[in-house]
């Protein structure tokens, strides 16, 4: 259910100039291999992304927030969503996520079939799929998409930008949720498992 957009290289280079020279924060929970810097200011204009907000994403990014991401070493991030299931059940149709790489190495993301808040059986295992987002592309996904990052293919950490988008107004907080929507005692990772070829990728591609 994702959409891939072309991004002008000049726009990407401009965003990259604003990335931190050194990251000071690591993603909490299971993800201390991931560095991030959340923007303190909402919107995209201050990043020079007005063309993106008013052009490619017109109507989809009436409210937006961005974050730089960098990977210290590859550890697949556990499957999660970026908001509580309660927020997604009420506002999921208005919310989207965006990802685009800031280096020519591109970036990788693991995604799983979207799980509606009141889904099917909790017993069947579902394999993830590794997708590659090349330099010059922006991938936009529904915020209900279960996903995970944490990958790098070079020592520079595959610098990238993560967008939180809303057709109307973003929730006040973005909070990674790793548990099943209908059973908070059960981790999504019990059912949503890594792509079947993950071990080969960890050995031959990711570092």
């Amino acid at each position: 259910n994702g959409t891939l957009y072309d991004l002008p290289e000049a726009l990407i280079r401009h965003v990259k100039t604003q990335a931190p020279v050194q990251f000071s924060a690591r993603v909490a929970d299971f993800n201390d291999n991931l560095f991030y810097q959340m923007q303190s200011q909402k919107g995209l204009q201050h990043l020079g992304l007005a063309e993106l907000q008013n052009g490619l994403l017109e109507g989809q990014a009436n409210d937006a927030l961005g974050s730089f991401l960098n990977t210290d070493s590859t550890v697949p991030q556990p499957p999660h969503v970026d908001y509580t299931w309660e927020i997604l059940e009420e506002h999921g149709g208005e919310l989207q996520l965006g990802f685009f790489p800031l280096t020519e190495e591109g970036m990788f993301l693991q995604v799983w079939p979207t799980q509606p808040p009141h889904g099917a059986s909790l017993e069947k295992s579902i394999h993830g799929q590794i997708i590659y987002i090349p330099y010059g592309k922006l991938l936009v996904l529904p915020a209900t998409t279960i996903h995970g990052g944490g990958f790098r293919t070079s020592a520079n950490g595959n610098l990238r930008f993560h967008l939180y988008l809303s057709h109307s107004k973003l929730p006040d907080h973005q909070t990674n949720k790793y548990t099943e929507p209908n059973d908070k005692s059960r981790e999504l990772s019990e059912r949503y498992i890594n792509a079947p070829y993950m071990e080969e990728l960890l050995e031959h591609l990711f570092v």
Side-chain angles (χ1 to χ4, degrees):
N1 295 326
T3 303
L4 203 60
Y5 298 93
D6 292 319
L7 291 183
E9 187 172 2
L11 181 150
I12 298 171
R13 289 200 305 266
H14 180 73
V15 174
K16 186 179 179 182
T17 64
Q18 300 173 73
V21 175
Q22 184 171 353
F23 287 82
S24 58
R26 292 177 183 261
V27 176
D29 304 323
F30 313 97
N31 311 128
D32 61 0
N33 65 311
L34 283 172
F35 291 110
Y36 77 98
Q37 185 190 75
M38 185 73 74
Q39 297 295 288
S40 58
Q41 182 178 346
K42 277 190 173 184
L44 303 179
Q45 289 87 347
H46 69 288
L47 291 164
L49 292 173
E51 175 184 347
L52 181 61
Q53 188 164 7
N54 302 325
L56 286 177
L57 299 177
E58 185 176 6
Q60 302 177 66
N62 292 323
D63 200 10
L65 184 64
S67 176
F68 290 96
L69 288 171
N70 203 50
T71 300
D72 188 27
S73 62
T74 292
V75 178
Q77 190 178 22
H80 67 281
V81 289
D82 287 0
Y83 298 96
T84 66
W85 288 108
E86 290 76 16
I87 285 177
L88 291 175
E89 186 169 13
E90 186 174 355
H91 303 289
E94 304 170 7
L95 302 172
Q96 295 179 296
L97 306 174
F99 304 88
F100 65 92
L102 296 173
T103 66
E104 293 185 359
E105 289 84 1
M107 64 168 286
F108 290 83
L109 195 66
Q110 185 168 206
V111 298
W112 288 264
T114 297
Q115 167 69 48
H118 298 294
S121 167
L122 299 184
E123 304 308 319
K124 184 178 179 181
S125 294
I126 301 173
H127 282 97
Q129 180 178 359
I130 301 293
I131 57 175
Y132 174 66
I133 306 171
Y135 184 71
K137 299 290 185 180
L138 161 69
L139 177 66
V140 175
L141 297 169
T144 51
T145 304
I146 296 172
H147 64 283
F151 306 104
R152 76 172 195 172
T153 56
S154 71
N156 71 19
N158 294 67
L159 182 67
R160 53 205 181 270
F161 201 69
H162 181 12
L163 290 164
Y164 303 91
L165 306 168
S166 175
H167 296 179
S168 54
K169 186 180 185 300
L170 283 173
D172 291 334
H173 302 288
Q174 294 74 41
T175 307
N176 288 358
K177 287 298 175 184
Y178 300 88
T179 55
E180 292 278 356
N182 301 314
D183 185 354
K184 301 300 190 294
S185 69
R186 187 165 183 177
E187 300 289 333
L188 287 168
S189 58
E190 295 178 37
R191 184 160 65 108
Y192 293 86
I193 60 179
N194 283 331
Y197 41 83
M198 180 64 79
E199 291 303 318
E200 287 82 359
L201 292 174
L202 290 173
E203 182 176 356
H204 299 292
L205 177 61
F206 299 130
V207 296

